Amino acid sequence: MITKVLIAEDHESANISVQKTLEELSITNTSHAYYCDDALNKVVNAVKAGDSFDLLITDLYFEPDGTKQVIHSGTELITAVRAIQPDLKILVFSAENKPATIDLLHRELDVDGFVRKARHDAKELKQAIKELAQHRRYFPRHIMQLIDKKNVYAFTDFDITVITLLAEGVLQKDIPSYLQNKGIKPSGLSSVEKKLNQMKEALEFTKNEQLIAYCKDLGII
Amino acid sequence: MITKVLIAEDHESANISVQKTLEELSITNTSHAYYCDDALNKVVNAVKAGDSFDLLITDLYFEPDGTKQVIHSGTELITAVRAIQPDLKILVFSAENKPATIDLLHRELDVDGFVRKARHDAKELKQAIKELAQHRRYFPRHIMQLIDKKNVYAFTDFDITVITLLAEGVLQKDIPSYLQNKGIKPSGLSSVEKKLNQMKEALEFTKNEQLIAYCKDLGII
DNA sequence: TACCCCATTACGGTTTCCCATAAAAAATGC
DNA sequence: GCATTTTTTATGGGAAACCGTAATGGGGTA
């Protein structure tokens, strides 16, 4: 049974509508946090007081506004609260639609649900909370389809390093020295060229610019 | 006096919170539209019935979901309703923070107010509606400051076309023929090179890959 | 019309990238 | 230990990109 919920969301308006949705599910014991640090504090205090939360609904992106914060993003918040209260159910409510990010939430951070801020998000939110109350996870099919699509090529750490360097403006011929400085091998220019060719061939691209655009779209870099 | 309001917003949750905010201002005569076409229809019908709206609160971005729509964006909607009902007050409520867009709203589309979806957006929304009821415009100072600050480079249609072609894998030397086919001028290779250099210099980049990454981050392409 | 100004285009030299091939090094198998 | 295979690195020629400069062309003005 879900009765006590914490909402971590910097947008006041989003906060309001989440609360309203919860009210429609007869959940009135809600707390709000407009900053990640504040959210973590509330979780800590609730556990200390022996009155812990049942569910955390959190956004991923929190806009900096000048006030110093230790935790800056929803993903960091998730790992932090998990360390404090492992059994806390976590539902991510975000406009995020990059497959890489959603995949991270699903597999590595192992959150209980994801609802994308979109046309029918309030209805979805209700559905998700109902599912979570039944101890099921909520990742709608149309979201998971996004994830599968990205599996046309599995980017390795090496791939990502090389692409990131390119996106930062490093000349291809200068990449080997960067790799050596970081102790990454292989570091030869030919190896870099080979990797780039492999990626481009797998994705049917011909130019580095396409790779950059593709990786940006998927949130890989 | 503002009594009858139309909310054009594809996100259900945002729609809810706007309505709640209006209720707190004792405005209960509200209509909702989840698509631009629907919003325009409601404006038209209200005018025909001699019971027109006092205020339109609209988002800028409406996510396509397969249903065929004539109008696809808030900016198009704004020009369309202005043609129907010139005295309709328009308040844009959007997460948009690109200086160029806000500038467009302020100067060319001449909307009555802009509230950014951000931390205290509900409070701002209330304030904005109060201002509009007094026949004043509402563009908070911190928004207008954004315009000056972040305006590092204003991308033209030509810029975006060139960058898009690069991101699609078109060779730089082949871009001129593409431009000619689309009837865009200038179309010379030197002009393309010059534009790319201008952009890169303005943003302190050295490589096209950086430009692609930057434009992807900003959602320009 | 003649002239100037500006934007556009054309051209040539240099650098970087691309690609195929070969050499070197490392891993594997017997 | 030695041969084989695979991975990594090196090299060179040709294509594309980069960059400065010169030529072209169109619009405005007297």
Side-chain angles (χ1 to χ4, degrees), chain A residues 10-13 17 34 63 65 116-117 119-123 166-169 208-210 216-217, chain B residues 10-13 17 34 63 65 116-123 166-169 209-210 216-217:
Chain A
D10 58 343
H11 287 21
E12 190 185 359
S13 63
S17 58
Y34 291 88
E63 190 156 10
D65 69 346
R116 189 159 107 72
K117 286 175 181 166
R119 203 162 254 114
H120 305 294
D121 49 8
K123 264 192 279 294
L166 282 179
E168 287 170 354
N208 289 342
E209 282 90 336
Q210 288 173 286
K216 276 290 178 189
D217 279 339
Chain B
D10 59 344
H11 287 22
E12 189 185 359
S13 63
S17 59
Y34 290 89
E63 191 156 10
D65 70 345
R116 189 160 108 71
K117 286 175 182 168
R119 203 161 256 116
H120 306 294
D121 50 7
K123 265 192 277 294
L166 282 179
E168 287 169 353
E209 282 90 336
Q210 288 172 288
K216 275 290 176 189
D217 280 340

Side-chain angles (χ1 to χ4, degrees), chain A residues 23-69:
Chain A
E23 281 170 12
E24 289 172 10
L25 292 170
S26 305
I27 301 174
T28 53
N29 190 358
T30 56
S31 288
H32 302 268
Y34 291 88
Y35 300 90
C36 290
D37 286 6
D38 189 28
L40 181 59
N41 273 335
K42 289 192 171 173
V43 170
V44 170
N45 290 335
V47 168
K48 272 187 193 165
D51 183 29
S52 59
F53 289 97
D54 301 312
L55 172 65
L56 166 68
I57 299 177
T58 182
D59 194 2
L60 289 179
Y61 176 73
F62 290 76
E63 190 156 10
D65 69 346
T67 64
K68 265 270 179 290
Q69 300 290 317

Side-chain angles (χ1 to χ4, degrees), chain B residues 11-219:
Chain B
H11 287 22
E12 189 185 359
S13 63
N15 235 317
I16 289 171
S17 59
V18 171
Q19 184 181 2
K20 181 131 191 262
T21 302
L22 290 173
E23 281 170 10
E24 289 172 9
L25 292 169
S26 305
I27 301 173
T28 52
N29 190 358
T30 55
S31 287
H32 303 267
Y34 290 89
Y35 299 91
C36 291
D37 286 5
D38 189 27
L40 181 59
N41 273 334
K42 289 193 170 172
V43 170
V44 170
N45 290 335
V47 169
K48 273 186 192 166
D51 183 29
S52 59
F53 288 98
D54 302 312
L55 172 64
L56 166 67
I57 299 177
T58 181
D59 194 1
L60 290 179
Y61 177 73
F62 291 76
E63 191 156 10
D65 70 345
T67 65
K68 263 272 179 290
Q69 300 289 317
V70 178
I71 302 177
H72 304 91
S73 76
T75 52
E76 292 172 44
L77 174 63
I78 290 167
T79 53
V81 298
R82 271 278 153 76
I84 303 293
Q85 185 190 341
D87 71 328
L88 176 64
K89 289 191 191 301
I90 297 177
L91 174 61
V92 173
F93 182 52
S94 166
E96 183 68 57
N97 66 347
K98 283 173 205 148
T101 308
I102 300 173
D103 204 38
L104 179 81
L105 293 172
H106 185 256
R107 293 198 295 107
E108 294 194 31
L109 293 178
D110 197 39
V111 305
D112 298 279
F114 177 85
V115 172
R116 189 160 108 71
K117 286 175 182 168
R119 203 161 256 116
H120 306 294
D121 50 7
K123 265 192 277 294
E124 275 210 43
L125 208 52
K126 266 189 218 175
Q127 185 61 31
I129 292 167
K130 284 180 191 168
E131 294 289 321
L132 263 56
Q134 306 290 322
H135 302 290
R136 287 195 290 266
R137 298 176 84 193
Y138 184 82
F139 280 87
R141 180 159 295 116
H142 64 269
I143 292 286
M144 299 308 286
Q145 280 173 348
L146 262 185
I147 295 180
D148 304 332
K149 197 194 288 181
K150 274 194 159 184
N151 205 359
V152 278
Y153 183 81
F155 289 88
T156 66
D157 288 347
F158 184 81
D159 296 336
I160 294 169
T161 304
V162 171
I163 292 173
T164 303
L165 286 172
L166 282 179
E168 287 169 353
V170 178
L171 290 178
Q172 206 162 300
K173 74 181 182 67
D174 293 336
I175 289 182
S177 60
Y178 278 78
L179 294 175
Q180 282 175 349
N181 288 342
K182 292 182 186 171
I184 297 172
K185 53 190 173 186
S187 65
L189 181 57
S190 291
S191 297
V192 172
E193 291 174 342
K194 187 184 170 189
K195 263 292 166 200
L196 284 169
N197 279 333
Q198 282 177 358
M199 289 189 262
K200 281 184 278 193
E201 191 186 5
L203 296 164
E204 295 182 339
F205 292 160
T206 56
K207 302 207 63 206
N208 289 343
E209 282 90 336
Q210 288 172 288
L211 261 183
I212 304 290
Y214 180 79
C215 290
K216 275 290 176 189
D217 280 340
L218 261 61

Side-chain angles (χ1 to χ4, degrees), chain A residues 44-210:
Chain A
V44 170
N45 290 335
V47 168
K48 272 187 193 165
D51 183 29
S52 59
F53 289 97
D54 301 312
L55 172 65
L56 166 68
I57 299 177
T58 182
D59 194 2
L60 289 179
Y61 176 73
F62 290 76
E63 190 156 10
D65 69 346
T67 64
K68 265 270 179 290
Q69 300 290 317
V70 178
I71 302 177
H72 304 91
S73 75
T75 52
E76 292 173 45
L77 174 63
I78 289 167
T79 53
V81 298
R82 272 278 153 74
I84 302 293
Q85 185 190 341
D87 71 329
L88 177 64
K89 288 191 191 304
I90 296 177
L91 174 62
V92 173
F93 182 51
S94 167
E96 183 69 58
N97 66 345
K98 288 175 191 153
T101 307
I102 300 172
D103 199 39
L104 179 81
L105 293 172
H106 184 255
R107 291 199 296 107
E108 294 195 31
L109 292 178
D110 197 38
V111 305
D112 299 279
F114 177 85
V115 173
R116 189 159 107 72
K117 286 175 181 166
R119 203 162 254 114
H120 305 294
D121 49 8
K123 264 192 279 294
E124 274 212 42
L125 208 52
K126 264 188 219 176
Q127 185 61 32
I129 292 166
K130 284 179 190 167
E131 292 290 322
L132 262 58
Q134 306 291 322
H135 302 289
R136 288 195 290 266
R137 297 177 84 192
Y138 183 82
F139 281 86
R141 180 161 295 112
H142 62 270
I143 293 287
M144 298 310 286
Q145 279 173 348
L146 275 181
I147 295 178
D148 296 337
K149 265 188 198 163
K150 79 150 199 172
N151 281 342
V152 280
Y153 181 83
F155 289 88
T156 65
D157 288 346
F158 184 80
D159 296 335
I160 294 170
T161 303
V162 170
I163 293 174
T164 303
L165 287 171
L166 282 179
E168 287 170 354
V170 178
L171 290 177
Q172 205 163 300
K173 74 179 181 68
D174 293 335
I175 289 182
S177 61
Y178 278 78
L179 293 175
Q180 282 175 350
N181 288 343
K182 291 182 185 171
I184 298 172
K185 55 190 172 185
S187 66
L189 180 57
S190 291
S191 297
V192 172
E193 291 174 342
K194 188 184 170 189
K195 262 292 166 199
L196 283 169
N197 279 333
Q198 282 177 357
M199 288 189 264
K200 281 185 278 193
E201 190 186 6
L203 296 163
E204 294 181 341
F205 292 159
T206 56
K207 301 208 62 203
N208 289 342
E209 282 90 336
Q210 288 173 286

